[in-house]
């Protein structure tokens, strides 16, 4: 099967590396997705293990279509019956970008009709009740008249690990938090500090990685109800994942935030993920003694000042942070913000600067490596 791991723009290389690490055959990466080859076990493993991807999809077909007749015929020629049984649900979603066929509701309706016709013929049944309990979410995407048609195997987006039951105002997606930890090249022997930790996502993702815990182990997936995926394969992947955990890792993880309510949420989230050893403490970052943190890694997602009334506060904060960070000997800092002038305010040019998207907002990850 050809499979697709979708992800936020900027994370493709990380997802590519994750798939390689899983021993999978990666075909290519494109904007927002990585295409790979694999069997049912690969599909299950990718869902369980990918930390930076949003979804795992089965690629059913790819074609060009300029008219609704062409779209109907192309979709009708695809082997839907391989996946979708006579009573399974198959809702259709469509996105069209810069294409001749631009009406998404119309694309959706034509694709649905075309799949219905194919399934009626192939299953030799006029009635498709869609009530078996198994769901095959069909996704149609067209870009400049090139269509790609997929079935989603994940269900909820993969950033929903299951540990975050409550959030603060501006939580970071778990997938992006995991990406920041990977990009920092943090290793579990180093102290990790998030001085603006909010609900603790960055630290929890770091702990999951350090303990080699598959991020999807505590949640459910759509594929679990698909009868053509052998239950013993699913069990095999889960057993492998449970056996791969390394519980005995000593970690030094510290989260600070000015807001005590958000720290209560952080503590709960960490507890849900099985971590009691992340140190969350209420503190304004200006009161922290940075000289106490030597050879540490700071990874953080501070306020960005997107709201005008916050801007002056945030700019002052970035200036102050630049001064304070100098006190921490041998430490590195990875900070994400949408503020275009961050480096100037911080008072030092970053060693690396990478464009990333946080919930659709263009941001930069500024990396300051230890001197
Ligand atoms: C963008 S949120 C961080 C979200 C976090 N990454 C998460 O996943 O939940 C920024 C955090 O900075 C905190 N904050 C604002 N001013 C602060 C200050 N002076 N010192 C410490 N924390 C502060 C806010 O309370 C907020 O939780």
């Amino acid at each position: 099967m050809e499979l697709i791991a979708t992800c936020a723009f900027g994370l493709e290389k990380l997802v590519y590396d994750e798939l390689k690490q899983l021993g999978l055959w990666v075909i290519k990466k494109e904007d927002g997705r990585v295409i790979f080859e694999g069997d049912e076990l690969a599909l299950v493993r990718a869902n369980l293990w990918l930390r930076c991807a949003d979804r795992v999809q089965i690629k059913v077909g790819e074609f060009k279509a300029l008219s609704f007749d062409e779209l109907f015929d192309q979709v009708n020629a695809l082997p839907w019956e391989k996946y979708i049984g006579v009573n399974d649900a198959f809702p259709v979603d469509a996105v069209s970008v810069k294409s001749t066929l631009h009406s998404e509701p119309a694309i959706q309706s034509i694709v649905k009709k075309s799949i219905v016709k194919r399934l009626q013929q192939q299953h030799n049944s006029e009635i498709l009740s869609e009530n078996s309990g198994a769901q095959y979410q069909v996704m149609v995407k067209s870009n400049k008249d090139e269509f790609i048609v997929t079935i989603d195997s994940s269900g909820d987006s993969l950033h929903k690990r299951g540990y975050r039951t409550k959030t603060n105002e501006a939580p970071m997606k778990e997938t992006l938090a995991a990406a920041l930890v990977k990009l920092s090249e943090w290793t579990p022997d180093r102290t990790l500090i998030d001085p603006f930790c909010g609900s603790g996502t960055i630290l929890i993702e770091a702990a999951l990685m350090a303990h080699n815990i598959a991020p999807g182990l505590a949640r459910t997936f759509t594929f679990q109800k698909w009868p053509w995926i052998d239950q013993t394969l699913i069990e095999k992947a889960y057993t492998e994942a449970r056996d791969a955990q390394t519980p005995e890792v000593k970690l030094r993880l510290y989260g600070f935030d000015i807001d005590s309510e958000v720290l209560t949420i952080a503590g709960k989230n960490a507890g849900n993920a099985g971590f009691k050893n992340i140190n969350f403490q209420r503190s304004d970052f200006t009161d922290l003694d940075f000289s106490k943190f030597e050879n540490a890694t700071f990874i953080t997602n501070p306020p960005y000042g997107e709201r005008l009334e916050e801007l002056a506060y945030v700019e002052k904060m970035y200036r102050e942070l630049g001064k304070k960070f100098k006190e921490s000997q041998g430490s590195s800092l990875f900070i994400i913000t949408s503020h275009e002038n961050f480096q100037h305010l911080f008072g030092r040019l970053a060693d690396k600067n990478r464009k990333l998207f946080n919930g659709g907002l263009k941001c930069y990850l500024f990396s300051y490596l230890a001197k």
Side-chain angles (χ1 to χ4, degrees):
M1 278 188 290
E2 236 175 89
L3 299 167
I4 298 177
T6 64
C7 62
F9 287 112
L11 303 190
E12 298 86 352
K13 175 70 170 72
L14 292 177
V15 174
Y16 179 98
D17 289 345
E18 288 194 285
L19 288 164
K20 285 266 185 201
Q21 254 182 12
L22 287 173
L24 298 171
W25 177 255
V26 185
I27 301 170
K28 61 179 168 181
K29 60 182 167 60
E30 297 172 347
D31 281 353
R33 61 183 170 221
V34 184
I35 302 175
F36 62 107
E37 185 68 44
D39 54 10
E40 286 91 330
L41 187 57
L43 179 145
V44 177
R45 282 186 178 138
N47 270 297
L48 269 178
W49 281 100
L50 289 178
R51 295 183 195 277
C52 302
D54 290 333
R55 314 191 151 272
V56 178
Q57 301 172 329
I58 298 171
K59 181 171 144 191
V60 188
E62 203 172 4
F63 51 82
K64 187 173 178 143
L66 295 166
S67 69
F68 284 117
D69 282 348
E70 268 178 9
L71 178 63
F72 187 96
D73 292 345
Q74 293 275 19
V75 170
N76 194 256
L78 299 173
W80 296 100
E81 65 283 357
K82 252 173 70 181
Y83 311 106
I84 307 175
V86 66
N87 294 321
D88 299 336
F90 53 103
V92 178
D93 229 333
V95 175
S96 171
V97 179
K98 296 182 190 154
S99 299
T100 312
L101 301 179
H102 52 81
S103 162
E104 291 167 351
I107 294 173
Q108 219 171 318
S109 151
I110 294 291
V111 170
K112 180 84 188 187
K113 282 186 187 135
S114 175
I115 302 175
V116 166
K117 189 160 179 217
R118 169 95 189 188
L119 291 177
Q120 283 172 328
Q121 283 166 347
Q122 297 293 321
H123 291 313
N124 211 2
S125 168
E126 272 303 300
I127 298 161
L128 305 173
S129 70
E130 301 206 31
N131 65 3
S132 70
Q135 163 135 327
Y136 296 82
Q137 174 68 57
V138 175
M139 186 76 212
V140 189
K141 276 193 176 170
S142 75
N143 188 7
K144 297 183 189 149
D145 301 324
E146 294 294 338
F147 284 74
I148 186 155
V149 191
T150 59
I151 293 173
D152 172 54
S153 72
S154 304
D156 279 339
S157 169
L158 295 180
H159 79 271
K160 297 197 174 167
R161 321 288 206 208
Y163 63 74
R164 199 156 79 174
T165 43
K166 273 187 150 185
T167 58
N168 50 325
E169 236 185 65
M172 162 170 274
K173 269 194 187 174
E174 294 81 340
T175 39
L176 180 58
L180 299 190
V181 177
K182 279 180 180 273
L183 290 168
S184 77
E185 296 182 19
W186 170 75
T187 46
D189 54 323
R190 274 178 83 92
T191 300
L192 178 59
I193 302 159
D194 182 352
F196 303 92
C197 71
S199 56
T201 320
I202 294 172
L203 296 164
I204 297 170
E205 287 299 317
L208 286 171
M209 279 183 220
H211 290 287
N212 201 31
I213 297 173
L217 206 48
R219 54 163 276 167
T220 56
F221 301 95
T222 291
F223 71 75
Q224 287 167 317
K225 290 206 171 142
W226 293 354
W228 52 272
I229 300 196
D230 190 347
Q231 281 305 314
T232 54
L233 280 186
I234 298 181
E235 232 356 272
K236 178 179 157 75
Y238 273 78
T239 307
E240 261 172 21
R242 280 190 286 267
D243 292 349
Q245 297 182 31
T246 48
E248 304 303 328
V249 186
K250 192 112 189 74
L251 296 174
R252 294 185 306 275
L253 306 179
Y254 298 91
F256 302 98
D257 202 286
I258 199 166
D259 179 350
S260 49
E261 267 179 47
V262 95
L263 290 170
T264 309
I265 296 174
K268 281 202 179 121
N269 290 344
N272 291 340
F275 305 121
K276 295 203 177 73
N277 52 352
I278 304 180
N279 302 284
F280 291 111
Q281 264 177 53
R282 195 196 158 277
S283 176
D284 186 320
F285 83 97
T286 53
D287 296 331
L288 291 176
D289 179 0
F290 275 56
S291 67
K292 279 204 319 213
F293 304 124
E294 286 188 0
N295 306 317
T297 301
F298 290 80
I299 309 177
T300 199
N301 171 41
Y304 298 169
E306 280 292 319
R307 278 183 292 187
L308 209 55
E309 64 272 22
E310 266 182 14
L311 193 61
Y313 169 72
V314 162
E315 292 189 341
K316 185 166 174 260
M317 185 187 273
Y318 291 171
R319 282 197 189 91
E320 191 62 31
L321 189 63
K323 285 188 208 140
K324 297 218 60 120
F325 183 63
K326 282 189 195 147
E327 297 167 14
S328 182
Q329 295 295 316
S331 294
S332 51
L333 167 69
F334 301 84
I335 184 162
I336 183 169
T337 175
S338 61
H339 199 303
E340 296 282 342
N341 214 14
F342 173 80
Q343 298 175 92
H344 174 74
L345 297 162
F346 186 76
R348 182 176 148 195
L349 277 183
D351 297 299
K352 277 191 204 161
N353 166 4
R354 188 183 178 116
K355 200 198 297 175
L356 290 175
F357 288 84
N358 184 359
L361 181 68
K362 186 174 82 173
C363 292
Y364 305 90
L365 176 66
F366 295 106
S367 308
Y368 293 92
L369 307 180
K371 283 194 191 164

